Amino acid sequence: MIDVIVIGAGPAGLAGAITCASSGLKVMVIDEFIKPGGRLIGQLHQELSGEWWNGIKESERLHQEALKQSVDIRSGVSVYNLEKDDDLWNVHTSIGTLTAPFVLAATGAAEYPIPLPGWTLPGVMSIGAAQVMTNVHRVQVGKKGIIIGANILAFAILNELQLAGIHVNRIVLPEKSPLSGKAGEPEEVMKSLLNAAHLAPSPLLRMGSRFMKNDWFRKTGMRFFPKSGVKVNGTPLLLRKAALEVIGTEQVEGVRVADTDANGNIIPGTETVYEADFVCIAGGLYPLAELAAVSGCPFQYIPELGGHVPHHSETMETPLEGLFVAGNITGIESGKIAMAQGTIAGYSIAKHAGKGGTAIVEQLNQSVKNVHLLRKQAAIQFYPDIESGRRKMYDLWEQLYANPARLHTEEKLG
Amino acid sequence: MNSNEAIVVCRCEEVTYGQLRTTAEEYQCTARELKLRTRAGMGFCGGRTCRIPLDRIIIDVLSNVSRSDIPLKYQPPVRPVSFGTVGEKND
Ligand SMILES: Cc1cc2nc3c(=O)[nH]c(=O)nc-3n(C[C@H](O)[C@H](O)[C@H](O)COP(=O)(O)OP(=O)(O)OC[C@H]3O[C@@H](n4cnc5c(N)ncnc54)[C@H](O)[C@@H]3O)c2cc1C
């Protein structure tokens, strides 16, 4: 008999599993990747303190800790459906159907694709694929690359590619269209970069931010944005160039670009071709919540969290009895925060399962506070208005699901 | 803008941006109907890449889509599986 099935062995899932198991529950973790760690195993960046965040080390630590707590981890197993039968959840996987009273869905995030002409050529990949090939599989993705799309994820991975000795020549924007959305509007991009300007991956933008905090400065900033770009870690960031097409016959040979005005409209007659042997498309991240969706959990669109998220409380419960969520499925944030959310979910499940005695309420309380603290200190933040997005979700939860019992716990959490 | 018509949005079923837009505009339809009419999202991968662009096309063409719902509903299986695997329970 399994008490808890955790879907996803990323930081959120592993931390949740460890917390559940240490409270005396029997836990199984399922992940479709060949080894545990989730997106952690691709991560490498420097914190504001100067310390390095080494995702491989972190994931090994979590893995060892989970094994010590007798968590059963199954790698290389996909979950394709999730539904409830009376009191038990049925988790349908590629090795058969497993059942348990509690499920923690910690399936992480996926990348927004930005289709453009030529994106099916070999050598075009998402920025996340470049990260996995470089840091996980240790495969050189190419010699000379171009990144299409300017966001925090792109900068973080640019840095990782450079550390691996891979040359990225330029960062340009996608062409403005319904498919690229805000990612193709220079002013919007500038705004989101400036909001994140205090964060680690963009030392240059950090300098500029003081001068560019209001709209007028932003507009003139865009109008006078140097054609040759500004350098991010030595790579020119060209906010006034749009990628029209990836060109090549058998594989990527380059990107056709054009100048744009401050609003992202193409200026005719300005086309040039930048040579490249690989292209990364960086569309940003959204919560991967497909299993919560098939389970029947209601959703809310909260752009500040990255897209559609399953309804959930601050203690990570969903409106469906026994179903909990943690990590990027609840909104896009860094690995550290995902891990801390996993701990909340773990305590929350233990509490529902009647484990942990009287201490559990205080532990749950502390774990919620810890997430607030980590969020304030975060060195990397993908969505600048994350705090208000979180608030929106918890307010909605209060409105829709709060009952006397829940209000009671909320008060204590204060 | 014209070369954009030829962008392959759904790679599995090779459905282009032009086809999707024309269909969405002509039928003013839901994301599900757009999928059924063009087969976009119905290939091997189950729409794991093109679902987002499909949603964006629908939101761009129809002004009244409710944003709290996921435009293109998720349906099991969310991963490609063999008939044998799915049938396991009925043995
Ligand atoms: C491409 C990419 C790059 C990122 N880079 C950074 C970075 O540099 N720095 C940073 O701080 N954050 C980064 N992030 C954000 C990252 O999501 C968080 O840091 C953190 O890893 C989230 O943890 P998680 O546990 O929620 O999800 P994840 O770490 O993503 O783990 C989720 C796990 O669930 C598994 N899974 C999903 N669906 C299924 C299924 N149906 N069946 C079985 N298993 C399933 C996946 O295989 C995965 O291992 C990145 C995210 C992505 C997608």
Side-chain angles (χ1 to χ4, degrees):
Chain A
M1 211 356 236
I2 309 168
D3 298 311
V4 189
I5 297 174
V6 178
I7 309 170
L14 288 177
I18 291 165
T19 309
C20 287
S22 60
S23 309
L25 295 165
K26 201 163 162 7
V27 186
M28 181 187 270
V29 180
I30 300 168
D31 196 297
E32 59 192 348
F33 196 58
I34 45 177
K35 57 178 175 182
R39 286 291 167 183
L40 263 186
I41 54 183
Q43 296 174 15
L44 185 62
H45 42 78
Q46 214 165 2
E47 302 272 288
L48 295 172
S49 63
E51 248 175 90
W52 283 86
W53 173 252
N54 180 339
I56 294 181
K57 264 200 201 141
E58 287 296 323
S59 71
E60 273 163 12
R61 188 182 61 75
L62 286 168
H63 186 191
Q64 286 314 317
E65 181 65 28
L67 293 179
K68 218 162 73 191
Q69 300 286 347
S70 305
V71 172
D72 184 0
I73 303 179
R74 305 289 175 95
S75 293
V77 177
S78 291
V79 178
Y80 66 84
N81 195 7
L82 177 64
E83 36 105 30
K84 200 167 184 191
D85 218 17
D86 301 325
D87 293 333
L88 291 181
W89 283 97
N90 294 320
V91 182
H92 300 280
T93 80
S94 47
I95 52 163
T97 299
L98 308 162
T99 59
F102 296 100
V103 166
L104 172 57
T107 47
E111 295 185 76
Y112 279 111
I114 305 177
L116 78 158
W119 79 317
T120 51
L121 280 169
V124 182
M125 63 199 81
S126 74
I127 191 89
Q131 181 185 47
V132 171
M133 282 206 260
T134 307
N135 292 349
V136 181
H137 301 299
R138 310 275 162 166
V139 172
Q140 190 180 23
V141 289
K143 295 207 159 62
K144 188 174 168 188
I146 290 177
I147 296 176
I148 301 177
N151 50 46
I152 299 301
L153 180 65
F155 294 158
I157 299 177
L158 166 69
N159 197 7
E160 293 167 10
L161 292 171
Q162 288 169 334
L163 286 170
I166 297 169
H167 202 70
V168 179
N169 281 41
R170 290 178 179 90
I171 306 171
V172 300
L173 294 193
E175 184 183 353
K176 183 164 105 169
S177 86
L179 292 178
S180 59
K182 285 185 177 170
E185 296 174 20
E187 258 167 47
E188 286 297 326
V189 173
M190 179 68 116
K191 199 159 89 187
S192 69
L193 293 181
L194 288 174
N195 281 334
H198 60 291
L199 302 175
S202 58
L204 185 131
L205 292 165
R206 205 183 317 162
M207 274 166 37
S209 70
R210 249 180 308 139
F211 305 100
M212 306 185 77
K213 269 292 172 198
N214 69 47
D215 267 357
W216 185 83
F217 274 124
R218 252 178 223 146
K219 283 230 162 100
T220 43
M222 254 353 289
R223 202 158 346 117
F224 298 117
F225 192 83
K227 268 213 173 136
S228 56
V230 296
K231 292 209 167 155
V232 176
N233 272 340
T235 297
L237 165 66
L238 304 161
L239 292 180
R240 295 278 301 273
K241 302 247 187 227
L244 305 178
E245 184 184 11
V246 181
I247 54 170
T249 41
E250 296 288 312
Q251 60 187 58
V252 173
E253 289 167 23
V255 178
R256 196 159 57 82
V257 301
D259 291 355
T260 65
D261 64 21
N263 298 316
N265 301 309
I266 304 291
I267 301 171
T270 57
E271 287 184 20
T272 44
V273 169
Y274 293 144
E275 269 180 45
D277 67 355
F278 76 97
V279 168
C280 297
I281 297 180
L285 300 171
Y286 69 92
L288 184 64
E290 43 193 2
L291 286 171
V294 296
S295 77
C297 187
F299 274 72
Q300 187 69 23
Y301 178 69
I302 305 183
E304 296 89 340
L305 298 180
H308 286 92
V309 293
H311 286 183
H312 63 277
S313 70
E314 195 159 14
T315 49
M316 302 294 142
E317 44 189 332
T318 72
L320 306 185
E321 187 68 36
L323 179 65
F324 293 75
V325 286
N328 276 204
I329 186 176
T330 70
I332 305 302
E333 288 191 84
S334 71
K336 244 186 192 171
I337 292 172
M339 202 185 294
Q341 284 183 315
T343 305
I344 300 182
Y347 285 128
S348 212
I349 293 171
K351 179 167 169 271
H352 276 76
K355 298 279 179 184
T358 46
I360 197 86
V361 177
E362 183 50 28
Q363 282 166 321
L364 184 56
N365 198 339
Q366 280 305 323
S367 65
V368 171
K369 283 196 186 134
N370 189 36
V371 166
H372 284 279
L373 193 71
L374 287 174
R375 189 167 290 135
K376 287 218 165 61
Q377 304 165 343
I380 184 166
Q381 197 56 271
F382 299 97
Y383 287 91
D385 295 326
I386 191 86
E387 197 95 56
S388 83
R390 294 287 180 199
R391 193 65 354 240
K392 272 187 194 169
M393 183 64 247
Y394 306 144
D395 286 349
L396 184 74
W397 177 272
E398 282 297 291
Q399 263 172 39
L400 295 177
Y401 309 106
N403 58 35
R406 276 195 181 114
L407 272 179
H408 190 60
T409 26
E410 288 290 322
E411 264 165 26
K412 278 195 186 152
L413 292 175
Chain B
M1 205 57 195
N2 245 344
S3 67
N4 286 357
E5 300 288 303
I7 301 173
V8 175
V9 172
C10 170
R11 296 164 176 232
C12 302
E13 297 289 320
E14 301 196 331
V15 188
T16 63
Y17 182 59
Q19 280 170 285
L20 288 163
R21 260 213 96 97
T22 321
T23 310
E25 272 157 16
E26 186 175 342
Y27 296 98
Q28 295 288 307
C29 54
T30 60
R32 178 172 154 75
E33 188 177 332
L34 182 63
K35 167 179 117 170
L36 293 172
R37 284 189 183 276
T38 60
R39 286 202 58 78
M42 293 176 74
F44 178 79
C45 87
R48 286 179 77 192
T49 305
C50 69
R51 117 182 332 272
I52 296 284
L54 290 184
D55 285 350
R56 283 191 172 165
I57 291 169
I58 285 298
I59 288 163
D60 191 53
V61 172
L62 306 181
S63 47
N64 58 347
V65 225
S66 150
R67 296 263 18 205
S68 69
D69 299 322
I70 297 174
L72 184 56
K73 221 180 145 202
Y74 281 98
Q75 273 167 343
V78 300
R79 292 289 179 277
V81 284
S82 68
F83 275 115
T85 310
V86 184
E88 162 231 36
K89 240 199 144 181
N90 305 326
D91 280 349

